[in-house]
Amino acid sequence: MQYLVLPSELESGTVRVPGDKSISHRALMLGAIAEGTSHIEDFLTGEDCLATLAALRAMGVRIEQVSGTSVSLQGVGMHGLRPPRGVLDLGNSGTAMRLFAGLLSGQKFSATLTGDASLSGRPMKRVITPLTMMGARIESDDGYPPLVVHGRPDLVGINYTLPVASAQVKSALLLAGLYARGETFITEPATTRDHTERMLRAMGATLTAESRRIRMPGQQTLRAADIRVPADLSSAAFPMVAALIARHSEVLLLGVGVNPTRTGVIEILRRMGAEIQLENARMFGEEPVADLRVRASTLRGIDVDPGLVSLAIDEFPILFVAAALAKGVTRFSGLGELRVKESDRIHAMVRGLKALGLTVNETEDGAEIYGGIPAGGHVDSQGDHRVAMAFAVAATRADGPVRIADVANVNTSFPDFAGSLRSLGVDVTEREPGA
Ligand code: S3P
């Protein structure tokens, strides 16, 4: 699938982007091992979360999609998951694979986790090493998927400092730690999203978290909860930047999650001169939410503070686009983790921006981007949903038509992304290659 985007004047409007991907995965996994029935509203029906849903069903969890984005699941309790019959195919989802590695480590059975070509190239030693220390046995292809997780009912809690800032690794250890004897202590090198910690508390678990150190007793039980999933800030970032780089536009993004471990993108854009206001601040359970009012702004280049990277980890493709449309030079550093996301995002973005005639220098852990006007042309998303969406936004301000190849994976996180852009007046069509 490809996008063809024509230069477009963005209109003002109101957009509700789909539910948060990280929270949707966690609601399913934690709800599955809780006691009682959990109801999830505004669940993300993107392919990544549907892979988690299918995997849980394969382990005997009854999950009903009540209507489009409304899900009810009957928890089976901590020890109620059943051995799956076949392999669990997690598609493109690193979150599903790493969190399941943790959850399955505490089970009395073995299970095999596979994924698509991109997921098969993503490093898993970061979860295998600490989960092995807890007592699980995990086979892999030299640290890469497929993983065969041999669960152990007698896991032990560990005291572990994460070598890389990763909410996925932290969450895997918390899931395994729920089953372990003794306490689990986790220290993070930088703050990462804390949705697992918040949802564990909402489901009655005990844990403390202070200055990047988490302490959680093992052998806990969870109780079902009703969870309303905020709109995903990582998806909202695309119409947000589209509005900022437009000539004239004011876009209101409704009900967006503004958990402070996720709002690095807003902070970075504001430092570039963006006008973004948070309105109607409220809580959906443990998660802060607001409506975001975004006005077309004159962005200027900055040196992006590497201290904000872990708080904006998924937003760098679209931040590169904001930088490309800003006045002056923007320098990004400390982005080494981007090389092991759904694609090598530094390289994919630099290549695409160059293909649109912009001046960009790639560095080992970032890029230097000179603001300008993109030319029309052809870019390849490398099968990465966020790279595809970032270029669709850049294309609204290009000099000519932009064709973006390999965009089917946008469905992993933002079903009907093209429809959302069209609702703001963007001329985007989806077509099969060669059409
Ligand atoms: C996620 C954590 C991040 C992020 C990913 C979702 C999560 O990955 O990039 O999209 O839900 O925990 P890392 O843990 O690899 O940083």
Side-chain angles (χ1 to χ4, degrees):
M1 184 75 85
Q2 341 187 303
Y3 289 145
L4 175 65
V5 187
L6 304 186
S8 303
E9 287 293 339
L10 205 79
E11 292 162 10
S12 295
T14 300
V15 178
R16 187 185 294 277
V17 303
D20 188 278
K21 181 149 73 73
S22 294
I23 296 175
S24 296
H25 280 297
R26 285 156 173 82
L28 290 177
M29 289 193 198
L30 294 180
I33 56 168
E35 308 277 345
T37 302
S38 292
H39 301 281
I40 312 171
E41 290 301 323
D42 297 329
F43 171 75
L44 171 62
T45 55
E47 285 163 7
D48 278 12
C49 298
L50 293 177
T52 288
L53 190 151
L56 289 167
R57 276 187 178 149
M59 290 187 278
V61 184
R62 286 178 55 185
I63 309 176
E64 207 188 325
Q65 233 171 309
V66 181
S67 69
T69 57
S70 199
V71 168
S72 114
L73 83 168
Q74 270 175 280
V76 295
M78 292 300 289
H79 301 288
L81 292 178
R82 293 205 303 261
R85 243 171 267 135
V87 300
L88 302 175
D89 183 353
L90 303 172
N92 193 242
S93 179
T95 304
M97 184 161 295
R98 296 195 178 115
L99 270 60
F100 270 126
L103 179 59
L104 292 170
S105 289
Q107 309 302 320
K108 294 189 193 74
F109 54 81
S110 301
T112 302
L113 307 176
T114 62
D116 68 7
S118 154
L119 183 51
S120 301
R122 296 186 65 187
M124 293 296 150
K125 272 197 185 125
R126 53 184 66 194
V127 285
I128 296 172
T129 301
L131 292 170
T132 304
M133 288 165 65
M134 295 177 82
R137 191 163 68 79
I138 303 179
E139 295 172 63
S140 69
D141 182 1
D142 201 20
Y144 291 88
L147 302 183
V148 186
V149 184
H150 302 284
R152 283 273 292 271
D154 56 348
L155 293 183
V156 287
I158 55 170
N159 184 343
Y160 192 69
T161 299
L162 301 186
V164 283
S166 165
Q168 292 176 355
V169 179
K170 170 175 68 171
S171 302
L173 300 188
L174 287 171
L175 284 162
L178 282 177
Y179 288 87
R181 267 185 294 117
E183 291 182 308
T184 296
F185 296 90
I186 303 166
T187 305
E188 302 188 85
T191 301
T192 65
R193 65 193 68 196
D194 64 357
H195 305 302
T196 307
E197 296 91 306
R198 286 175 192 250
M199 201 177 291
L200 282 169
R201 286 201 193 94
M203 293 188 167
T206 305
L207 78 160
T208 56
E210 251 172 63
S211 53
R212 305 206 301 264
R213 185 168 164 81
I214 301 170
R215 173 181 183 170
M216 189 185 73
Q219 299 183 327
Q220 303 204 44
T221 53
L222 304 178
R223 55 166 194 268
D226 289 343
I227 293 160
R228 184 162 175 206
V229 182
D232 198 328
L233 177 56
S234 295
S235 297
F238 298 100
M240 180 186 296
V241 171
L244 290 171
I245 64 175
R247 283 188 192 80
H248 311 281
S249 175
E250 179 173 314
V251 171
L252 184 65
L253 298 158
L254 296 175
V256 182
V258 287
N259 178 318
T261 61
R262 294 283 298 278
T263 48
V265 61
I266 297 176
E267 180 60 29
I268 294 168
L269 287 169
R270 280 182 173 157
R271 290 185 190 183
M272 296 175 76
E275 212 186 309
I276 304 170
Q277 281 163 7
L278 271 60
E279 297 177 355
N280 192 14
R282 55 209 190 267
M283 297 294 287
F284 286 0
E286 299 280 319
E287 292 284 347
V289 168
D291 301 332
L292 307 182
R293 189 175 296 280
V294 185
R295 289 197 185 87
S297 305
T298 304
L299 300 180
R300 47 179 189 275
I302 60 168
D303 287 359
V304 175
D305 178 359
L308 291 170
V309 168
S310 66
L311 308 178
I313 190 67
D314 289 336
E315 282 65 76
F316 287 95
I318 191 64
L319 285 168
F320 277 27
V321 168
L325 274 297
K327 283 197 193 327
V329 189
T330 303
R331 292 184 189 85
F332 295 92
S333 59
L335 303 185
E337 271 295 296
L338 262 67
R339 297 213 183 265
V340 291
K341 294 290 180 193
E342 287 84 327
S343 69
D344 174 344
R345 284 185 171 159
I346 298 176
H347 190 64
M349 288 305 303
V350 167
R351 226 168 77 164
L353 290 171
K354 282 184 174 165
L356 300 182
L358 292 153
T359 304
V360 188
N361 297 317
E362 181 170 352
T363 63
E364 202 184 322
D365 70 341
E368 189 177 52
I369 299 177
Y370 290 76
I373 296 293
H378 186 156
V379 296
D380 194 320
S381 81
Q382 308 293 323
D384 186 319
H385 55 135
R386 298 200 203 279
V387 172
M389 291 187 278
F391 281 113
V393 170
T396 62
R397 290 304 311 274
D399 260 352
V402 176
R403 208 178 268 280
I404 305 157
D406 202 0
V407 303
N409 276 339
V410 168
N411 284 327
T412 61
S413 69
F414 196 159
D416 205 26
F417 166 73
S420 287
L421 282 190
R422 277 193 289 268
S423 78
L424 294 172
V426 178
D427 189 339
V428 47
T429 44
E430 293 152 286
R431 43 180 77 191
E432 293 303 332

